Amino acid sequence: MRKFLAVFLSVYLLFAGLNPVRAQSSAQLSLYALQSASFPAMTAGLDVFDATGNFFTGLSPEAVTLLEDNQPRPLNSLEELQPGAEFALALDPGPTFVYRDANAVTRFDKVVQVVKEWAAAHPDSLDDDLSLLPTGGTPATHLATTAAFSDALAAYQPKLLSLVSSPETLSRALDVVSETTSQTGRKPVVLYITSIPAAGDIPVLQNLTQRAVAEHIRVHIWIVASKDFFSKPGATALKDLAIQTGGQYFPFSGDEPLPSPENYLAPLRHAYRLEYSSSILTSGGHTLTVQVNLNGETVTSAALPFELDVQPPNPILLAPPEQIVRTAPDERTTAASSFLPTQQPISIIIEFPDGRTRSLVRTALYVDGVLADENTAEPFDQFTWDLSGYATSGQHILTVEAVDNFGLSKVSLGLPVLVTVVRPQVGLLPWLSRNSLWVALGAILFAGGGLGAILILGRVKKRRSTTDGRGSRVVVPVPARDRDPLTQSVQTGGGKRGLRLPWTRPAKSTEAYLVRLKDDGQPITAPSIPITIPEMTFGSDPTQATRILDDPSVSPLHARLKEEHGEYILSDEKSTAGTWVNYEQLTTPRRLQHGDVLHIGRFSYRFMQRKPPERPTPQVTPTTR
C-alpha cells in the first residue's frame, strides 16, 4: 500500500509539475490597441513571445498573416518598436519587514537595496515610465528619471511595526499603469512587494486578479514573510494573481537572493506596430486575428473584437427651386428648345455620417430616375440641369447620388420641382403680332406696287381708232383734255361706299377696353387693354391668368372679367388684396359701367366703352301751384 501511494504521488507530482512548464513552453501572440481613426488604414500593436517567455525580435512581414472577419488582408507595414514599459512599484510593507538577519539588516532594507541597485544600473534611454506607490495613503509619484526614483525610494521611511498590509496599494498601482499612454506598445507592469494578506482580503485580491487579466497588466509578487507562512491562503491567493496575469511569484524570507526588476521589464520593452487596409463596408462588430510563423510553427492569436461605424456619404440637395418658368425670349420664337431658361444650376452638400471624410469618385443628378448630369472629378457639388427638352408643363422629381472611394453610395430623397412652360398664343392675330415687322413691310410693298401701277396706267397714251373715206383704220390721238384725269367724270357704282377687295373682311372693332391709371387717377401714356375675348383673367401666375400682372399684391389668380350679351361682369377670385370697383371691394360679381375705376391689387384701370350708353335726358315736370 505504501509503495502504491508513493508511485501515485510521484506520478501526480510529475504531471502537476509539467503542466505549468507545458503552458509556458508555447509561443504567445497578443493583439491590442487597434486604431481606426484613419480608416481604412488600421493600426494595431502586436506582441510575440517565444516559448521561453522572451520577446521575439526580428520578425519579418512575410511571416505575418492578418485575418479580418476571418478573411485574409494584406499587411502594409510591420515596424519593431522599443516603447519602454509602464512600471509601478507598489510597496505594502508591514511588521514582517522588520525582521533582521545576523548583520542586523532588516528585510525591508534588503528589498529597498535591490530596487536601488536596479535603478542605478537602469539607463534613462530605455524610456520607461516609473511610478512609486508606497502604502499608508501616500500619493503615487511619477518619476522622469531613475535617479529621482532612487531618491524617492530612499526618502520613504515608514514605521513598519504600525503598518497593516492592504490590497488597496495594489489597486492604486493598477490605476496608475492602466492610464492611457501615447506610446504604442508600452506594456503595464506592477511589482507588488507585500506581506501575507489576511483571509478577509482574499476576495479583494481575486477581484483585482480579474481586473489585471482583463487589462493585460502583468503583476509580479514578492511576499516578505517567514517560510512557515508561505503556505497560508493569503500567500496562495497572491501566487494565483501572479500566475494568471503572466507575472512571477517570489517568496522572500530574508535569506534568498532577490531577482532584479530588470528581469521583468527587459522582455516587455519591445513591440510591433502593424498597419493594414481594411475592407469592411458595414457597421457593427468585427474581429482581427494574426497568425505568425515562428521557426516553422504557426501561432495564432486570440481574436481581437472591435466596433466600426461605416456609412455611405449622404448627398443633400441645396435649396432647389420649387418652380421654373420657361418662356419665349420674344414674340417670334415658338420652338420650345429656345425658351428661357435653357439650363438650371443645381447645388448639393455631402455629409459623412460616420465622421470620416473621404474623397469622392462620382456624383450624379437624376430627374425622374433618369441621369441628367454626372461628375467624375471636382467639383462634385455642382450640376447643370438641361431644360431645353421640356416643351410641356409638369412636375419632376430630383435626386442625387454620391459614391466614395470605398465604393459606398447613397441616393438622396427626391424633391419635386415644377417646370412651367408658357407657350405663345396661336392663331392669325398672334401670328401677325409676332411678325408685325414683316407684315408691315409687305403692306408697304403692296401699297407701293399698287400706286406705281396706277401712275403707270395713267401715263399710257390712249389712242382712238377711226376709218377714213377709203375704209382704212387710222389712229387719232386723244385730245389733251381727254387725257387729263381731272377732266374725266367720276363713275359711281350703285351706292357702293368705296373700293373693297373681295377677299378682305372688315376688322371687328373693340367694344370695351381698360385704360391704365396713375396713383392720382390720371391715365398713363400706354396702350389700352382691349377686351376682345369672352373671358379675361388677371393674376401673377402665367398658367392661370391670361393677363399677367407682376406685383406681390396680385394673387396667382386674382380677378375674372366676362362679357355676357354686351355686358361686362367683374368678379374677385378669392384674392388676398381684393378686387375693387369705384373704391368698393367686391364681394359678389358686378356689372361694369362706362367710366368705372377698377383696382386689382396695386394696379388701377378705368373701364371704357367705345359706344357708351346714352344717358337719359332729364325730364322736367312742372309743378302747379
Side-chain angles (χ1 to χ4, degrees), residues 155-199:
Y156 178 58
Q157 299 293 330
K159 297 180 180 180
L160 299 175
L161 293 176
S162 61
L163 292 179
V164 178
S165 177
S166 170
E168 192 270 338
T169 304
L170 175 59
S171 177
R172 291 168 52 213
L174 296 180
D175 293 338
V176 170
V177 298
S178 63
E179 294 177 355
T180 303
T181 176
S182 59
Q183 292 286 347
T184 301
R186 178 175 282 179
K187 302 171 185 62
V189 183
V190 173
L191 174 56
Y192 183 40
I193 303 176
T194 182
S195 55
I196 304 292

Side-chain angles (χ1 to χ4, degrees), residues 31 34-36 38-44 66-69 71-78 273-280 286-289 306 308:
L31 273 174
L34 181 66
Q35 299 293 329
S36 61
S38 300
F39 179 85
M42 308 278 279
T43 61
L66 288 177
L67 299 175
E68 185 182 65
D69 293 337
Q71 298 298 320
R73 295 299 304 159
L75 182 66
N76 294 340
S77 64
L78 180 66
R273 178 180 176 273
L274 59 85
E275 179 180 331
Y276 76 99
S277 297
S278 175
S279 63
I280 296 174
H286 305 275
T287 60
L288 180 65
T289 308
F306 63 95
L308 195 62

Side-chain angles (χ1 to χ4, degrees), residues 210-289:
Q210 295 177 4
R211 176 188 172 186
V213 171
E215 298 178 0
H216 305 285
I217 302 174
R218 287 177 172 80
V219 181
H220 302 276
I221 306 293
W222 288 0
I223 299 181
V224 180
S226 298
K227 295 181 180 180
D228 297 339
F229 293 91
F230 292 154
S231 59
K232 294 291 185 178
T236 302
L238 290 173
K239 183 177 181 179
D240 291 342
L241 190 155
I243 293 174
Q244 293 186 39
T245 60
Q248 297 183 16
Y249 166 83
F250 189 86
F252 179 64
S253 63
D255 298 332
E256 302 84 359
L258 288 167
S260 172
E262 186 64 20
N263 298 339
Y264 307 143
L265 300 180
L268 303 179
R269 290 197 182 98
H270 297 269
Y272 289 104
R273 178 180 176 273
L274 59 85
E275 179 180 331
Y276 76 99
S277 297
S278 175
S279 63
I280 296 174
L281 298 179
T282 58
S283 300
H286 305 275
T287 60
L288 180 65
T289 308

Side-chain angles (χ1 to χ4, degrees), residues 10-166:
S10 299
V11 173
Y12 174 79
L13 292 176
L14 176 63
F15 281 94
L18 289 178
N19 283 338
V21 175
R22 185 174 299 169
Q24 297 292 331
S25 63
S26 60
Q28 295 182 354
L29 306 179
S30 177
L31 273 174
Y32 55 90
L34 181 66
Q35 299 293 329
S36 61
S38 300
F39 179 85
M42 308 278 279
T43 61
L46 173 64
D47 290 340
V48 182
F49 296 96
D50 59 17
T52 62
N54 294 321
F55 192 89
F56 187 89
T57 59
L59 185 65
S60 64
E62 292 76 13
V64 179
T65 302
L66 288 177
L67 299 175
E68 185 182 65
D69 293 337
N70 296 323
Q71 298 298 320
R73 295 299 304 159
L75 182 66
N76 294 340
S77 64
L78 180 66
E79 181 182 5
E80 186 173 347
L81 308 174
Q82 291 187 350
E86 192 79 24
F87 176 64
L89 176 61
L91 269 175
D92 190 19
T96 58
F97 283 67
V98 183
Y99 176 82
R100 299 175 182 270
D101 61 5
N103 297 321
V105 180
T106 65
R107 294 170 177 166
F108 178 78
D109 293 335
K110 291 182 178 181
V111 168
V112 172
Q113 183 62 31
V114 171
V115 177
K116 285 183 177 181
E117 291 175 356
W118 163 78
H122 182 277
D124 293 333
S125 60
L126 293 177
D127 200 22
D128 292 336
D129 188 10
L130 308 177
S131 300
L132 178 63
L133 292 96
T135 192
T138 304
T141 304
H142 287 274
L143 305 160
T145 63
T146 52
F149 185 88
S150 297
D151 294 342
L153 187 61
Y156 178 58
Q157 299 293 330
K159 297 180 180 180
L160 299 175
L161 293 176
S162 61
L163 292 179
V164 178
S165 177
S166 170

Side-chain angles (χ1 to χ4, degrees), residues 235-410:
T236 302
L238 290 173
K239 183 177 181 179
D240 291 342
L241 190 155
I243 293 174
Q244 293 186 39
T245 60
Q248 297 183 16
Y249 166 83
F250 189 86
F252 179 64
S253 63
D255 298 332
E256 302 84 359
L258 288 167
S260 172
E262 186 64 20
N263 298 339
Y264 307 143
L265 300 180
L268 303 179
R269 290 197 182 98
H270 297 269
Y272 289 104
R273 178 180 176 273
L274 59 85
E275 179 180 331
Y276 76 99
S277 297
S278 175
S279 63
I280 296 174
L281 298 179
T282 58
S283 300
H286 305 275
T287 60
L288 180 65
T289 308
V290 63
Q291 294 179 343
V292 176
N293 187 351
L294 297 178
N295 300 324
E297 178 186 2
T298 300
V299 183
T300 304
S301 69
L304 177 64
F306 63 95
E307 294 286 332
L308 195 62
D309 183 20
V310 181
Q311 299 184 42
N314 183 31
I316 302 173
L317 284 162
L318 187 60
E322 296 181 359
Q323 182 181 19
I324 302 173
V325 179
R326 300 195 66 215
T327 58
D330 50 54
E331 295 181 348
R332 295 184 301 275
T333 302
T334 59
S337 59
S338 301
F339 285 10
L340 298 178
T342 59
Q343 295 179 339
Q344 175 66 41
I346 300 294
S347 300
I348 65 171
I349 57 174
I350 302 171
E351 298 177 342
F352 291 89
D354 55 13
R356 298 183 177 90
T357 303
R358 305 179 290 275
S359 58
L360 301 173
V361 297
R362 178 178 178 267
T363 56
L365 171 68
Y366 295 92
V367 180
D368 298 330
V370 179
L371 181 64
D373 195 12
E374 182 181 30
N375 295 318
T376 56
E378 292 286 353
F380 287 101
D381 57 351
Q382 300 294 327
F383 298 98
T384 300
W385 181 12
D386 184 11
L387 301 173
S388 60
Y390 295 89
T392 58
S393 302
Q395 189 178 70
H396 303 275
I397 304 300
L398 270 60
T399 57
V400 287
E401 180 186 19
V403 183
D404 62 15
N405 57 352
F406 295 168
L408 298 175
S409 65
K410 185 176 181 181

Side-chain angles (χ1 to χ4, degrees), residues 480-525:
R481 59 180 180 85
D482 294 336
R483 296 197 302 267
D484 189 355
L486 296 178
T487 62
Q488 305 303 311
S489 61
V490 179
Q491 300 292 330
T492 61
K496 294 183 181 179
R497 300 180 59 182
L499 180 64
R500 181 167 58 89
L501 298 177
W503 58 83
T504 60
R505 177 187 298 177
K508 181 180 178 181
S509 60
T510 303
E511 298 299 332
Y513 54 92
L514 298 176
V515 178
R516 178 76 183 277
L517 303 179
K518 300 179 182 178
D519 292 340
D520 58 359
Q522 296 299 319
I524 294 177
T525 57

